Amino acid sequence: MTRACSSAAPARAGRSNALHAGAWWVWALGLATAASRTTDPLLLLLVVAVAGYVVAARRTDAPWARSYGAFLKLGVFVLGVRVVFAIVLGSPIPGTHTLFTLPEIPLPHWAQGVRLGGRVTAEGVAFAAYDGLKLATLLVCVGAANALANPARLLKSLPGALYEAGVAVVVAMTFAPHLVADVGRLRAARRMRGRADTGIRALAQVGLPVLEGALERSVALAASMDARGYGRTADVPRGVRRLTAALTLGGLLGVCVGSYGLLAAQGAGFGAPLLAAGLAAALAGLWLGGRRSVRTRYRPDRWGTRAWLVAGSGIAVAALTVWAASYDPAGLDPPAVPLSAPTLPLWPAVSLLLGLVPAVVAPLPARAVGRGPATVPVPQDRARVNVPEQEAS
């Protein structure tokens, strides 16, 4: 009975079956691509809900996993700023439903097209809210990838040619979660001392210790990286370096032009071949550039079946949303004029639900398995309980 229950339990994340960090980023970028193709608030909120559910189900207790809430708050802040700017500076969308009128400040003639105050319409506020919600959803998708993917393991998976750039990007990405953790720790310390942890004054008093900790962390990181030989490269002939640069830059340019051709209405004929040629050239350049790296990989992460399923769900969401935007653009971009209630398109919404696949196929983190009380194994030599002689008799 115990063996049957253990076999039916969900897989626990370990070194052997841990999900590749790149799969989480492919999944998140797929959701972000889907969010960039629509301004329907219901679809955008559905993307946020899908990303939030997967993060809640599969994130760990690591410091970078706590950054999702910060990205979510940043998205709400960006949405509010976009709406406030539309109210104060005016909106290019004409409207007939006036909400209220602000005192208008006259501007000089060279500032034509910009106004301060004036009539605020419901159509202009709705257009600003749709636009701000799209940007907020993109930030939430990036926050989901940052909370689920281990930055150190992502750095291990980069090609040798992108190793130096990958170090800089990973260090910059891990700075935000540590910053959020420092702010939470200092606010908790202020509450324990009976001091206020909210307000501008409390934020100013917390900012200096956070900045000091960030500087100390950066100096310690620079010293440790220098001691481990980061930045050292092998001696490569000049011709190989030039060929590497030409292949990489040319390949990336081909990828950009090919992607634009696939997304444009008239470029479908040359988009796919140019994209394939650009990918081949870029991969060849990265392979040659990897010869400059003198580092080795210890126990590299494997791209297994679970990683294919997670990455494929994100790619499927992006592809289906792009296809839906091509055949029904009005359904994914509801007009602000005339003002009407947004509707939820059926098939784009169903395609977004494919983003929930990682919540099922990804291995459970350590904190999500075994929520009951922990059991301590008893050694074999101590398994027999000593009974007193009085009780035994």
Side-chain angles (χ1 to χ4, degrees):
M1 182 68 181
T2 305
R3 183 176 300 176
C5 294
S6 61
S7 62
R12 181 175 179 176
R15 185 176 293 275
S16 59
N17 66 338
L19 195 67
H20 199 284
W24 286 121
W25 274 102
V26 173
W27 167 79
L29 291 178
L31 293 183
T33 303
S36 66
R37 305 295 295 182
T38 179
T39 57
D40 192 320
L42 299 180
L43 290 177
L44 294 175
L45 291 177
L46 183 59
V47 173
V48 174
V50 168
Y53 180 80
V54 174
V55 169
R58 290 299 183 267
R59 71 174 178 180
T60 63
D61 293 331
W64 60 81
R66 306 171 189 172
S67 62
Y68 180 76
F71 278 93
L72 189 61
K73 295 177 182 177
L74 180 61
V76 175
F77 175 75
V78 168
L79 174 60
V81 169
R82 180 66 179 89
V83 174
V84 169
F85 276 12
I87 293 175
V88 176
L89 301 179
S91 176
I93 301 299
T96 57
H97 299 78
T98 303
L99 297 178
F100 52 87
T101 303
L102 296 176
E104 187 171 357
I105 301 176
L107 298 177
H109 65 279
W110 51 267
Q112 293 182 357
V114 179
R115 66 176 178 85
L116 294 177
R119 189 169 65 95
V120 179
T121 62
E123 289 82 357
V125 173
F127 176 79
Y130 295 167
D131 196 20
L133 185 58
K134 177 193 289 189
L135 182 56
T137 306
L138 296 178
L139 292 174
V140 169
C141 294
V142 174
N146 199 17
L148 293 170
N150 190 333
R153 296 177 59 190
L154 182 63
L155 176 62
K156 290 174 56 178
S157 304
L158 288 178
L162 301 178
Y163 183 63
E164 290 83 1
V167 171
V169 172
V170 170
V171 169
M173 287 173 54
T174 54
F175 177 79
H178 286 293
L179 188 66
V180 174
D182 289 344
V183 172
R185 178 175 53 83
L186 291 172
R187 290 183 61 186
R190 290 181 62 87
R191 287 195 299 268
M192 293 177 61
R193 293 180 175 88
R195 300 178 182 177
D197 61 334
T198 57
I200 299 178
R201 183 177 180 181
L203 182 62
Q205 293 178 356
V206 168
L208 184 60
V210 170
L211 180 60
E212 180 182 359
L215 291 176
E216 292 179 356
R217 190 181 299 113
S218 63
V219 172
L221 179 62
S224 62
M225 291 175 64
D226 183 70
R228 289 171 173 83
Y230 280 82
R232 300 177 185 177
T233 57
D235 188 13
V236 179
R238 182 178 302 178
V240 177
R241 293 200 301 267
R242 292 179 178 177
L243 180 61
T244 301
L247 288 175
T248 304
L249 294 178
L252 293 179
L253 182 61
V255 169
C256 294
V257 176
S259 301
Y260 176 78
L262 289 178
L263 296 177
Q266 294 83 11
F270 68 90
L274 192 57
L275 178 60
L279 285 175
L283 291 177
L286 293 177
W287 178 76
L288 289 176
R291 299 173 59 184
R292 296 178 61 247
S293 178
V294 295
R295 70 186 183 99
T296 58
R297 293 182 180 180
Y298 175 68
R299 302 175 72 174
D301 295 335
R302 294 178 297 177
W303 190 282
T305 305
R306 298 177 186 270
W308 281 113
L309 291 175
V310 172
S313 65
I315 295 174
V317 169
L320 291 176
T321 307
V322 171
W323 176 71
S326 63
Y327 83 87
D328 188 16
L332 272 68
D333 292 324
V337 179
L339 188 64
S340 60
T343 59
L344 182 63
L346 178 59
W347 292 114
V350 172
S351 64
L352 291 179
L353 294 180
L354 293 176
L356 295 174
V357 171
V360 180
V361 301
L364 287 173
R367 66 170 182 83
V369 180
R371 296 185 181 272
T375 59
V376 180
V378 180
Q380 294 293 332
D381 56 348
R382 297 184 181 179
R384 185 174 300 173
V385 180
N386 295 326
V387 182
E389 294 180 351
Q390 292 81 359
E391 297 180 2
S393 60

